[in-house]
C-alpha cells in the first residue's frame, strides 16, 4: 500500500499525515494488526498490549503497522443463556470483518491476535481468503486457580453446579470457588476449544511453534509478540502466503494434533470451515479416520489432570510435534510460517526432566482416539462423539427428549434423568438454534451429579471443549431441517456402537414414516437482524456450519 509517490493519492496521504505517519513510513510495507481485544472477558484482555508489541516488531523489521479491532464473544459468559447463540455466529462475523479490513486497506501483510474460541478459526479463515503473508498470534491461556489446596479451572465451576444439585457442595462453596477458579487474564486453562485451536494454528503452520504455549500473563509473551511482528515482514520478503501453507498435509497434521492432545469437538467444525476457505477437500470422515489411528499422548484436562501451563513448562507443542514426528504420524512436507521445518521443531524441542504431561506415542496416555465420527439412522450425515480415549463400547437406552437446552438442564437439576438414559436435545443446531449453542450447562450438571459415564447425551447442538462424558454432538441433518433427530419420541431405543461408528434409532421404518408425515417445524419467534441472516444462510454442521 505504498501511496507516498502516487499523485492521485494525496487525499489519502493527508489522513496518514493526520495520524503522524511520515513519507518514509508510507513507502514501507504496511502490516495490518488485527486484534480481537474486548473488555467483556479475560480471554482477550491482553490483546491491546500485545498489539503494541507486535507493532514494535513490525517497525524494527522495516514495516509500518496499522492496528484495528474486531469483536469477540465470550463463550463462558454466554453459556446456558440465549446469548450463546451469538458464539458460532461470531466466527463468521470476525472472519468477514478481518477480510473486509484487509481488502479495504490493501495491507501488504497481516498479524492476527486471537484468544477466545471463535477468534482463532475466524482469523485463519480470513487469512485464507485474503492470501497475503500472515501470522497468527495466540494470546495464551490463563493460569489455573487454586482452591482448597488443589488446582482448578473453569471446568470445576460448571461441574460444581451439578454437585450442588445433589448436595455434594453448597452454594457458598460454589461462590467461593468462583472467586478462585480464574485468577487472571487468558483463555480457559486447559485443552479446551481455545487451546485446541491455538495448537491447530501451530500444526497448520500459520503460527510459530511455542509462541501460543506461553501463558497470557507470562513475561516471555512480550518478546514473543515482537518476534511475531518481525516474522510477518520476513514472510512478506519470502512471498510466503497462506495458500502455500494450508495444504492437505498441513490439515492432516492439524487433525493429528487434535487427536493426540485430546482436543475439543469444536475443532471438527472449525477445521472443515478453514479447509473450505483454503480450497482443501476435507470431510468429517477423513477427520474420523485420522482420529481413530492416533492415540492421546498428552494428559491434559478435560481428559487428564494437567493444565495448559503444565504443557508449557513440560516443553509445549514443540515437544508434542517431536513425539509425533518420531512416531511417523506427522507429514514432514509442510511449510511453516517462520521458515522452520517440522524437523527443525523436533530438533530444538526440549522436554523438562521428569515431566509427565507429554508421552511418547508407543506409551500413550490413552491408546484410543479423542474423537470419532458416527453415522447411522439417527445421523445419516454424521455426528461427532467425544470418545476421550475410552475403549470402544456399545450403549443403548431409552430416549429422553427435550426441545431446548433449558428444558434439559431443568430436568437434570430436578433429578429426572437416571442412569442408562439417552438424553436427546434438539432444535439447537446451526439453523434451529439458531447458532448451535454449546451444551456445557448440561454436561457439567451430568458430570457433577455422577452421571457423566452412565447417561449418553445426543444433540444437534455442540459442546464446549470443557465438556466431558458420553457426549455426541453435531447430529446432521439437524432437527430444524427435519433430520431423524426431530422424529425421536420418549422411550425410543437409541443405540451407540463406537467400534462400528454408528448412531441408530431402533424404531421400525413404518413408524418413522408415520411420524415424518405428522412432523411440523415448531413455532419459534422469528429472529431479527444477524441471527435471522445466519439461520437463512448457514449450512450443515457436517460441512463446518459455514455460511454461503
Amino acid at each position: 500500500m505504498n501511496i507516498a509517490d502516487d499523485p492521485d493519492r494525496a487525499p489519502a496521504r493527508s489522513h496518514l499525515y493526520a495520524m503522524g505517519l511520515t513519507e518514509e513510513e508510507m513507502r514501507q510495507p504496511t502490516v495490518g494488526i488485527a486484534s480481537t481485544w474486548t473488555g467483556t472477558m479475560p480471554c482477550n484482555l491482553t490483546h491491546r498490549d500485545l498489539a503494541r508489541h507486535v507493532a514494535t516488531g513490525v517497525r524494527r523489521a522495516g514495516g509500518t503497522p496499522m492496528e484495528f479491532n474486531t469483536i469477540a464473544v465470550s463463550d463462558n459468559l454466554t453459556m446456558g443463556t440465549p446469548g450463546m447463540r451469538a458464539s458460532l455466529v461470531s466466527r463468521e462475523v470476525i472472519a468477514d470483518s478481518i477480510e473486509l479490513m484487509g481488502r479495504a486497506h490493501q495491507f501488504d501483510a497481516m498479524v492476527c491476535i486471537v484468544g477466545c474460541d471463535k477468534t482463532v478459526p475466524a482469523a485463519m479463515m480470513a487469512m485464507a481468503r485474503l492470501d497475503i503473508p500472515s501470522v497468527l498470534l495466540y494470546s495464551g491461556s490463563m493460569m489455573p486457580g487454586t482452591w482448597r489446596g488443589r488446582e482448578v479451572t473453569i471446568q470445576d465451576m460448571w461441574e460444581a453446579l451439578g454437585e450442588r444439585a445433589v448436595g455434594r457442595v453448597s452454594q457458598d462453596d460454589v461462590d467461593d470457588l468462583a472467586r478462585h477458579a480464574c485468577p487472571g487474564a487468558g483463555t480457559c486453562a486447559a485443552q479446551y476449544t481455545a487451546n485446541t485451536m491455538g495448537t491447530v494454528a501451530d500444526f497448520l503452520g500459520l503460527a510459530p511453534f511455542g509462541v501460543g504455549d506461553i501463558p497470557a500473563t507470562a513475561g516471555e509473551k512480550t518478546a514473543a509478540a515482537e518476534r511475531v511482528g518481525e516474522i510477518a515482514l520476513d514472510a512478506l520478503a519470502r512471498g510466503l502466503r497462506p495458500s502455500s501453507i494450508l495444504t492437505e498435509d498441513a490439515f492432516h497434521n492439524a487433525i493429528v494434533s487434535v487427536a493426540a492432545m485430546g482436543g475439543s469437538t469444536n475443532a471438527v467444525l472449525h477445521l472443515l470451515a478453514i479447509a473450505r476457505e483454503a480450497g482443501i477437500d476435507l470431510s468429517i470422515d477423513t477427520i474420523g479416520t485420522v482420529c481413530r489411528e492416533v492415540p492421546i499422548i498428552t494428559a491434559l484436562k478435560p481428559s487428564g489432570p494437567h493444565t495448559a501451563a503444565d504443557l508449557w513448562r513440560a516443553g509445549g507443542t514443540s515437544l508434542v510435534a517431536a513425539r509425533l514426528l518420531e512416531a511417523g504420524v506427522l507429514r514432514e512436507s509442510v511449510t511453516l510460517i517462520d521458515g522452520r521445518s517440522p524437523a527443525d521443531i523436533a530438533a530444538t524441542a526440549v522436554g523438562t526432566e521428569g515431566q509427565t504431561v507429554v508421552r511418547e506415542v508407543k506409551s500413550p496416555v490413552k491408546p484410543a482416539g479423542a474423537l470419532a465420527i458416527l453415522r447411522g439412522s439417527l445421523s445419516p450425515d454424521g455426528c461427532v462423539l467425544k470418545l476421550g480415549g475410552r475403549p470402544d463400547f456399545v450403549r443403548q437406552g431409552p430416549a429422553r427428549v427435550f426441545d431446548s437446552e433449558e428444558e434439559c438442564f431443568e430436568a437434570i437439576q430436578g433429578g429426572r434423568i437416571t442412569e442408562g438414559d439417552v438424553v436427546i436435545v434438539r432444535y439447537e443446531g446451526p439453523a434451529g438454534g439458531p447458532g448451535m449453542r454449546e451444551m456445557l450447562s448440561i454436561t457439567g450438571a451430568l458430570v457433577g451429579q455422577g452421571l457423566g459415564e452412565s447417561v449418553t447425551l445426543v444433540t444437534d447442538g455442540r459442546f464446549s471443549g470443557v465438556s466431558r462424558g458420553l457426549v455426541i454432538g453435531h447430529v446432521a441433518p439437524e432437527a430444524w431441517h427435519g433430520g431423524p433427530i426431530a422424529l425421536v419420541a420418549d422411550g425410543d431405543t437409541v443405540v451407540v456402537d463406537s467400534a462400528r461408528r454408528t448412531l441408530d434409532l431402533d424404531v421400525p421404518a413404518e413408524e418413522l414414516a408415520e411420524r415424518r408425515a405428522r412432523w411440523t417445524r415448531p413455532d419459534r419467534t422469528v429472529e431479527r437482524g444477524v441471527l435471522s441472516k445466519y439461520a437463512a444462510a448457514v449450512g450443515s454442521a457436517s460441512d463446518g456450519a459455514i455460511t454461503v
Side-chain angles (χ1 to χ4, degrees):
M1 196 186 73
N2 180 359
I3 65 175
D5 301 313
D6 187 340
D8 294 333
R9 300 304 306 279
R13 288 196 292 277
S14 67
H15 265 198
L16 297 182
Y17 288 130
M19 294 163 55
L21 269 65
T22 65
E23 291 182 17
E24 180 184 356
E25 289 172 316
M26 295 179 202
R27 289 190 178 96
Q28 293 177 159
T30 56
V31 179
I33 302 175
S35 164
T36 53
W37 176 89
T38 175
T40 59
M41 58 175 147
C43 312
N44 297 23
L45 207 55
T46 61
H47 290 196
R48 278 179 173 170
D49 190 53
L50 288 175
R52 180 168 56 86
H53 290 295
V54 170
T56 296
V58 168
R59 291 190 187 95
R60 189 161 57 216
T64 299
M66 288 191 165
E67 299 176 37
F68 65 96
N69 213 77
T70 184
I71 68 163
V73 170
S74 167
D75 282 15
N76 186 62
L77 268 70
T78 60
M79 196 71 68
T81 76
M84 169 48 72
R85 294 192 175 98
S87 172
L88 189 58
V89 181
S90 76
R91 186 189 71 181
E92 313 307 305
V93 175
I94 296 163
D96 289 351
S97 63
I98 294 174
E99 178 197 0
L100 284 172
M101 287 294 288
R103 293 192 186 282
H105 294 278
Q106 301 175 65
F107 302 125
D108 297 297
M110 192 164 60
V111 173
C112 293
I113 305 171
V114 294
C116 193
D117 297 10
K118 308 310 169 291
T119 65
V120 192
M124 291 190 278
M125 291 163 68
M127 288 174 167
R129 293 176 191 174
L130 290 168
D131 201 29
I132 59 175
S134 303
V135 191
L136 187 135
L137 170 56
Y138 180 59
S139 57
S141 71
M142 70 171 62
M143 301 301 288
T146 302
W147 186 66
R148 298 182 181 176
R150 64 184 177 96
E151 283 193 340
V152 290
T153 71
I154 196 65
Q155 176 180 332
D156 297 275
M157 283 303 321
W158 286 99
E159 292 177 3
L161 299 185
E163 294 179 287
R164 181 194 60 191
V166 293
R168 292 178 185 158
V169 297
S170 68
Q171 184 61 48
D172 286 343
D173 292 328
V174 173
D175 291 340
D176 189 45
L177 175 60
R179 296 183 185 96
H180 295 86
C182 300
T187 61
C188 295
Q191 202 65 3
Y192 309 138
T193 302
N195 280 321
T196 296
M197 295 311 299
T199 299
V200 162
D202 287 3
F203 281 82
L204 278 177
L206 292 175
F209 267 88
V211 172
D213 298 335
I214 304 169
T217 56
E220 293 91 332
K221 205 76 180 190
T222 296
E226 292 182 6
R227 176 63 184 141
V228 164
E230 295 173 341
I231 291 171
L233 268 296
D234 180 64
L236 177 62
R238 290 184 288 130
L240 184 55
R241 300 173 181 271
S243 55
S244 60
I245 294 174
L246 296 174
T247 63
E248 184 178 332
D249 285 349
F251 278 95
H252 170 86
N253 289 351
I255 298 165
V256 168
S257 77
V258 173
M261 299 180 72
S264 168
T265 53
N266 280 312
V268 176
L269 284 176
H270 300 327
L271 282 166
L272 292 170
I274 299 164
R276 177 184 180 275
E277 302 294 355
I280 300 296
D281 185 15
L282 178 65
S283 73
I284 57 171
D285 296 306
T286 298
I287 296 173
T289 298
V290 175
C291 287
R292 189 175 182 85
E293 297 170 351
V294 178
I296 299 174
I297 66 167
T298 61
L300 296 169
K301 292 176 181 284
S303 56
H306 294 294
T307 66
D310 294 328
L311 174 65
W312 173 54
R313 288 186 286 257
T317 54
S318 295
L319 182 59
V320 175
R323 295 284 187 264
L324 296 171
L325 202 62
E326 289 167 8
V329 294
L330 285 186
R331 296 178 182 174
E332 297 187 55
S333 57
V334 296
T335 301
L336 306 178
I337 189 63
D338 61 0
R340 293 182 292 173
S341 69
D344 294 332
I345 302 298
T348 57
V350 178
T352 303
E353 185 176 354
Q355 66 86 19
T356 58
V357 183
V358 183
R359 302 271 191 88
E360 294 184 4
V361 173
K362 62 185 179 183
S363 56
V365 175
K366 294 181 180 180
L371 308 174
I373 303 300
L374 311 181
R375 291 181 184 266
S377 60
L378 188 50
S379 187
D381 292 345
C383 59
V384 183
L385 164 67
K386 192 162 191 175
L387 193 55
R390 293 180 185 83
D392 280 324
F393 63 90
V394 176
R395 180 70 61 90
Q396 68 179 45
R400 297 293 308 278
V401 183
F402 303 93
D403 287 348
S404 73
E405 178 185 2
E406 288 84 355
E407 289 179 15
C408 182
F409 180 71
E410 182 181 351
I412 296 169
Q413 296 297 75
R416 301 197 298 277
I417 301 298
T418 59
E419 292 185 6
D421 284 345
V422 179
V423 173
I424 305 288
V425 183
R426 62 192 180 191
Y427 298 108
E428 291 285 5
M436 203 178 182
R437 290 192 292 178
E438 295 179 341
M439 304 286 114
L440 181 54
S441 66
I442 295 174
T443 60
L446 287 172
V447 171
Q449 291 188 27
L451 297 172
E453 294 299 319
S454 61
V455 169
T456 306
L457 173 58
V458 179
T459 180
D460 54 7
R462 59 194 178 93
F463 299 111
S464 165
V466 178
S467 291
R468 57 186 176 130
L470 290 170
V471 297
I472 301 170
H474 309 192
V475 170
E478 62 175 293
W480 187 255
H481 290 310
I485 192 171
L487 308 179
V488 183
D490 276 329
D492 287 347
T493 298
V494 177
V495 183
V496 183
D497 188 330
S498 69
R500 294 177 58 233
R501 298 302 195 251
T502 54
L503 174 65
D504 289 309
L505 183 62
D506 188 13
V507 175
E510 298 80 8
E511 170 64 19
L512 286 178
E514 291 179 10
R515 292 183 192 178
R516 181 167 297 284
R518 298 192 304 268
W519 177 79
T520 58
R521 184 177 288 165
D523 290 334
R524 184 184 69 194
T525 302
V526 176
E527 304 283 355
R528 297 180 60 193
V530 66
L531 292 182
S532 177
K533 295 176 187 177
Y534 182 83
V538 70
S540 172
S542 62
D543 293 322
I546 55 177
T547 52
V548 293

